[in-house]
Amino acid sequence: MLPTLMVVTLFQAGPPAAFLHEHQLATQHRALARALPRQPGAFGPLLTPALDFQAYDVDLQWDFRTGAVQGSATLRLSGLDATSGHVAFIVDSGVTAFAALTPSGPKLVQRQGLGGGLDFLDVATGATTDDLTLTLTWSGTLQCGSAFGAPMCARGAQPFVWLDHGSGVPLPYDPVSGFTTDTLRRSWVLHTPRGFAVRAAGDLVDAHDTATEHVTRWATGGPVALALNSWLVSGTALEERVTALPEAVVVSTASAQAPDVAAFVGRILPLEAQRFGPRASATVSQVIVPQSSPFIGTASHAMTLLNESYAALGPTLHEEVWAHENIHQHFAVRAYPADTAVESLLTEGLTTLLELDYTHRAKTGLARDLALAARQRELALVHAYQYPQALDLPLLLTDDAQVPADPYLYNAWAYFKGAATLEVLRLAVGEAVFDDALNRYLRACDAAPCTVATFRGALEAASARPLGPLFQRLVSEAHRLQVTVGFEGATVTLDQGSAGPLPLELWLTLDDGTLQRERWELTAARESRTFSTLRPVRSVRLNPRLEGLVRADPATAGDVDFDGEVDGFDLISCARLVGHRVREGRGERAGIWGYDLDFDRRCDLDHDGTLSAADVAALPFNTLRSSP
């Protein structure tokens, strides 16, 4: 079971059950990895694997109504040197019959319970320098236990059921790197009850029916990460709906959302393919998980799954979350990081940034800046009012034990801080250069497991500039970045409190309303610079897209609009927001967590999350400056 790729959800008074389940899926991998037997010494996904898995071809009979499974498979691999000589698997404890065979004969299999309805199987293959083909057979009735907090299968005559490798299909893992990013080709022949639809995490090769079975063949087409989920979904009410795209089928239990999702993916898939090139699969099944199911959804090879509950976000954000999961087909499925736990920047950070791009794709210029800034404002508000500790955790961790256990803190760190940091990097190098870097990164990931170093290398190559110190500060270290902005005439002073690289874009508004943009690579704790302008400067602020990560404040306390004084404009700006609450967004002005995108923390002088008349009265009015 891989660490599931989570999506953001509504922030409510209590965590939604579906969201909690989703976080369980993300943490299950780490708990399972810690429970696995392994060779003495170092163990972890960033280490060089001991084994080289090449292909895994499965033939499975699966009656989801009873949980009965019977399967056979061939696993081709190499690397069984004198230090290994073993191949290990995880499987559902209900799979009681398991045998392994090599060309030299049957092999000894030792079984050990892991807990949660899962067992560990060790196959003593013996050391060899040659490639090895291991033939497996198994059968039993799936228990579908807790599996460290997130069941890897469901059974029974239910509308929607699922099965993953590691439950009804033995999941191999490496004795050194665990759920390795080693890639292998996969194929399945599935025998399921006739009359019920089934989808697998691969491209459909062919299908036919016998008197009692629905037989389908699936394949990945190319190598995929061993750690990536291989979901099979079926059920008594599962049905398929074609879309305008030959590569997409919407699968649901007669969900009323199916027409909307078909329209969503008709827009999402072509746009993202145009921007980022081919996906790892020729097709992508779009699975609408019923709201009654505890399964929240994820992204897998050739499959995107999302629970119906996300429709509560409203049509725009509902489509955005489908975009998020489908963008994972590029940044998680095609480009699978070496360690998703410690390098979530490469999955959740990138995908959150790009989902915002998708929603505001029709906007250009200043309108796009302001739309993206509003969404970055929500990220800043979450950090300011709910989870400031997310800013104290580096985006590049040294150990998965550092990953936040609290699901919302994880969200605020991996998704929100990650996306906000990437926005700073994007503005530093420019939009076109950043997109070029993303495509360079994807191509690099086609050849080898991805790391933050891979992404940094792609960004350095695209921008033709070294970025080591900047990545060190923004990614490897944790800082609560804040900048105070002051100006006199056309001379601007920025104060960040301590020295360090920080790329910024200034917005100078002139007295005729003209907006002048200026790049500034801040390095010292305090710097001043005089700009050439055609008209007197009326206000100076940072591009608000930066404020998801960089807390920007005026040098004059209470100066909401950054014009160097507290005047009637500031009073009016804050008075218009009286009654707004930071976590009670309204309609289209609500963010993905329901935060108020119009809320201005600079008006909230008592920092209680509510903008009141008392806040407005407390503004230090009449700190006026002389006219320019």
Side-chain angles (χ1 to χ4, degrees):
M1 176 72 179
L2 95 160
T4 293
L5 307 167
M6 303 200 310
V7 293
V8 288
T9 188
L10 282 168
F11 191 97
Q12 300 174 351
F19 184 82
L20 287 180
H21 178 78
E22 181 182 43
H23 185 256
Q24 291 167 347
L25 286 171
T27 57
Q28 176 201 50
H29 170 74
R30 297 192 295 277
L32 185 56
R34 286 191 288 270
L36 292 175
R38 74 283 304 273
Q39 289 185 166
F43 179 85
L46 296 179
L47 299 177
T48 302
L51 304 177
D52 179 15
F53 296 103
Q54 298 161 7
Y56 196 21
D57 302 307
V58 173
D59 190 298
L60 179 69
Q61 292 180 316
W62 173 38
D63 189 338
F64 64 83
R65 298 167 299 184
T66 64
V69 293
Q70 181 174 334
S72 62
T74 56
L75 175 64
R76 293 187 291 278
L77 71 156
S78 61
L80 292 160
D81 57 23
T83 62
S84 53
H86 294 261
V87 180
F89 298 87
I90 299 164
V91 72
D92 188 285
S93 298
V95 176
T96 53
F98 181 89
L101 181 74
T102 69
S104 64
K107 297 301 173 183
L108 177 65
V109 178
Q110 292 185 322
R111 179 184 290 262
Q112 176 182 330
L114 292 175
L118 296 176
D119 283 0
F120 161 80
L121 304 175
D122 181 85
V123 179
T125 58
T128 177
T129 57
D130 299 327
D131 291 354
L132 181 71
T133 298
L134 190 61
T135 301
L136 311 174
T137 57
W138 65 91
S139 63
T141 300
L142 300 177
Q143 290 187 4
C144 298
S146 64
F148 295 89
M152 298 171 74
C153 60
R155 67 177 189 178
Q158 304 177 54
F160 180 84
V161 294
W162 68 92
L163 178 151
D164 187 21
H165 276 202
S167 56
V169 178
L171 172 65
Y173 81 94
D174 190 88
V176 171
S177 60
F179 299 105
T180 174
T181 54
D182 186 18
T183 59
L184 78 170
R185 295 178 183 272
R186 286 174 166 166
S187 72
W188 305 264
V189 178
L190 299 180
H191 306 262
T192 52
R194 181 173 177 170
F196 302 110
V198 64
R199 302 299 294 187
D203 295 318
L204 179 63
V205 178
D206 59 48
H208 69 274
D209 287 336
T210 69
T212 59
E213 292 181 339
H214 180 48
V215 183
T216 53
R217 287 200 304 135
W218 308 82
T220 60
V224 298
L226 175 65
L228 196 61
N229 285 97
S230 291
W231 297 108
L232 313 178
V233 298
S234 190
T236 58
L238 204 67
E239 63 181 34
E240 300 173 352
R241 180 188 184 94
V242 298
T243 72
L245 302 175
E247 67 266 32
V249 173
V250 174
V251 182
S252 74
T253 54
S255 173
Q257 297 175 18
D260 288 339
V261 173
F264 294 165
V265 299
R267 293 186 285 266
I268 294 166
L269 295 184
L271 185 66
E272 301 309 322
Q274 179 182 11
R275 188 174 181 185
F276 300 121
R279 294 175 293 273
S281 59
T283 61
V284 186
S285 298
Q286 307 289 322
V287 181
I288 305 173
V289 179
Q291 189 166 351
S292 59
S293 172
F295 188 88
I296 184 63
T298 183
S300 184
H301 180 83
M303 185 179 288
T304 296
L305 308 94
L306 199 65
N307 194 283
E308 286 179 314
S309 60
Y310 284 98
L313 290 166
T316 299
L317 294 180
H318 188 206
E319 180 170 354
E320 181 178 299
V321 176
W322 277 98
H324 177 108
E325 290 301 335
N326 278 291
I327 294 169
H328 271 314
Q329 294 296 329
H330 299 276
F331 298 98
V333 176
R334 178 183 170 190
Y336 192 87
D339 191 337
T340 57
V342 302
E343 297 184 305
S344 63
L345 177 73
L346 304 177
T347 53
E348 305 308 349
L350 275 172
T351 307
T352 300
L353 178 76
L354 298 174
E355 76 176 69
L356 304 185
D357 286 358
Y358 173 79
T359 294
H360 302 290
R361 62 196 178 278
K363 297 182 173 67
T364 59
L366 181 60
R368 181 170 183 270
D369 276 322
L370 295 176
L372 292 177
R375 301 301 301 279
Q376 288 287 333
R377 173 176 287 189
E378 181 178 34
L379 315 190
L381 292 173
V382 168
H383 293 147
Y385 285 89
Q386 196 68 25
Y387 291 104
Q389 61 269 45
L391 299 174
D392 299 328
L393 190 64
L395 288 169
L396 179 59
L397 303 179
T398 56
D399 189 281
D400 66 9
Q402 298 172 281
V403 176
D406 179 275
Y408 289 106
L409 175 57
Y410 176 86
N411 225 227
W413 167 70
Y415 293 74
F416 289 2
K417 182 182 179 182
T421 299
L422 290 164
E423 187 69 287
V424 173
L425 291 170
R426 176 162 66 175
L427 287 172
V429 300
E431 303 268 356
V433 170
F434 191 79
D435 266 21
D436 180 24
L438 291 180
N439 280 281
R440 289 171 184 259
Y441 167 73
L442 287 169
R443 292 192 293 270
C445 296
D446 290 337
C450 311
T451 64
V452 167
T454 310
F455 176 66
R456 173 187 149 192
L459 199 57
E460 287 180 330
S463 63
R465 56 183 287 192
L467 297 170
L470 184 57
F471 265 71
Q472 179 67 28
R473 191 180 195 204
L474 298 187
V475 178
S476 300
E477 299 173 356
H479 301 274
R480 295 197 184 189
L481 301 173
Q482 50 189 65
V483 173
T484 300
V485 183
F487 71 101
E488 288 292 338
T491 299
V492 179
T493 299
L494 301 182
D495 190 333
Q496 63 168 330
S498 60
L502 185 58
L504 302 171
E505 182 182 272
L506 286 184
W507 282 9
L508 282 69
T509 302
L510 309 185
D511 69 350
D512 62 354
T514 301
L515 179 64
Q516 182 171 322
R517 300 170 185 256
E518 298 286 351
R519 295 284 183 90
W520 191 329
E521 299 281 343
L522 191 61
T523 56
R526 181 182 175 89
E527 295 181 15
S528 295
R529 185 177 297 180
T530 301
F531 295 98
S532 176
T533 63
L534 295 178
R535 302 280 304 178
V537 177
R538 187 171 69 199
S539 66
V540 180
R541 66 174 303 163
L542 302 187
N543 182 334
R545 285 169 60 181
L546 296 165
E547 292 190 39
L549 184 68
V550 182
R551 181 185 177 101
D553 286 303
T556 302
D559 176 20
V560 176
D561 60 3
F562 288 85
D563 66 354
E565 58 188 3
V566 183
D567 54 17
F569 292 108
D570 300 303
L571 294 178
I572 293 170
S573 295
C574 294
R576 293 177 60 190
L577 297 175
V578 168
H580 282 241
R581 298 177 184 273
V582 67
R583 290 168 57 184
E584 294 181 7
R586 306 173 184 181
E588 292 296 317
R589 301 303 295 169
I592 201 80
W593 267 18
Y595 274 62
D596 185 347
L597 300 185
D598 291 320
F599 193 92
D600 193 333
R601 64 166 179 80
R602 287 175 281 261
C603 293
D604 185 18
L605 298 192
D606 57 7
H607 197 72
D608 65 351
T610 300
L611 298 180
S612 64
D615 289 314
V616 178
L619 286 170
F621 180 61
N622 207 25
T623 55
L624 302 179
R625 63 194 302 155
S626 59
S627 300

